Amino acid sequence: AEMMKLTAVMGAVLVLAATLSSVSAWVPSRGLAGAQSQLSAPRSAQASVCMARNPLKMLKLRKKRLKAHETGRLRLNVFRSNNHIYGQIINDEEHKTLVTASSVMLKLDKGSDKSAAFEVGKTLGAAAKDKGIEKVFFDRQSSRHKYMYHGRVESFVAGTREAGLNV
């Protein structure tokens, strides 16, 4: 009976020690990573806002993408910068990019307008048709941004539809 009490006490001590070691590294506003950076840099040199990625949001997106892949559709991803637009068709099961197109690849004079986005979409759709891809789903969201369906993004998707992709 004393041996069981001793084992229970030792287990409680180990749990308490593990809890205390993780609590000392925990800073509520920045998480565990913030505690390490706080030790290395003075407070005035740090940014006041921590832009860490949300792992639960990323998990939700991954589940949504894999569910859409089960229906036989690949992911049409778009990225829009101030000067250019980029598009990719991605197979999430194999983690491979199958087709890509951008305003940089097409060497357009101005890659930041709707006509450039339409041309990039058309080029991407034609390349996808050449590889035998017909059905895709449009993914306008990642863990960092979510594009509204208007402007250059809408023109990009219209270009892929005109090229014959089922979006």
Side-chain angles (χ1 to χ4, degrees), residues 2-43:
E2 287 185 38
M3 187 62 142
M4 292 188 74
K5 285 182 184 178
L6 184 62
T7 306
V9 169
M10 290 298 289
V13 168
L14 288 175
V15 168
L16 182 63
T19 305
L20 288 177
S21 66
S22 65
V23 168
S24 65
W26 175 257
V27 176
S29 63
R30 292 186 181 88
L32 290 173
Q36 294 169 352
S37 66
Q38 200 172 31
L39 296 175
S40 61
R43 183 151 179 90

Side-chain angles (χ1 to χ4, degrees), residues 77 86-89 97-102 105 120 123-124 127-128 131:
N77 187 12
Y86 306 84
Q88 300 176 330
I89 295 180
T97 301
L98 304 174
V99 182
T100 185
S102 70
M105 281 177 39
V120 171
T123 304
L124 183 75
K131 287 203 171 192

Side-chain angles (χ1 to χ4, degrees), residues 51-62:
M51 299 298 289
R53 291 186 180 180
N54 186 348
L56 295 177
K57 184 176 179 183
M58 292 170 52
L59 179 66
K60 188 190 287 188
L61 288 173
R62 194 175 308 121

Side-chain angles (χ1 to χ4, degrees), residues 84-134:
H84 297 285
I85 190 160
Y86 306 84
Q88 300 176 330
I89 295 180
I90 302 168
N91 184 347
D92 283 317
E93 253 182 17
E94 298 175 7
H95 304 290
K96 295 198 183 220
T97 301
L98 304 174
V99 182
T100 185
S102 70
S103 56
V104 176
M105 281 177 39
L106 297 178
K107 297 181 179 161
L108 299 173
D109 291 335
K110 187 172 180 184
S112 62
D113 58 354
K114 290 198 233 178
S115 62
F118 187 80
E119 288 301 316
V120 171
K122 219 159 114 176
T123 304
L124 183 75
K129 289 296 263 185
D130 290 343
K131 287 203 171 192
I133 301 168
E134 293 181 5

Side-chain angles (χ1 to χ4, degrees), residues 43-54:
R43 183 151 179 90
S44 61
Q46 290 180 337
S48 61
V49 177
C50 182
M51 299 298 289
R53 291 186 180 180
N54 186 348

Side-chain angles (χ1 to χ4, degrees), residues 107-165:
K107 297 181 179 161
L108 299 173
D109 291 335
K110 187 172 180 184
S112 62
D113 58 354
K114 290 198 233 178
S115 62
F118 187 80
E119 288 301 316
V120 171
K122 219 159 114 176
T123 304
L124 183 75
K129 289 296 263 185
D130 290 343
K131 287 203 171 192
I133 301 168
E134 293 181 5
K135 294 193 301 185
V136 295
F137 75 95
F138 179 56
D139 180 29
R140 64 189 178 109
Q141 180 177 357
S142 76
S143 61
R144 290 192 175 224
H145 57 265
K146 182 175 183 176
Y147 297 123
M148 292 180 64
Y149 187 75
H150 74 95
R152 289 191 289 159
V153 174
E154 184 179 8
S155 295
F156 174 79
V157 175
T160 58
R161 284 189 178 123
E162 185 175 298
L165 277 183

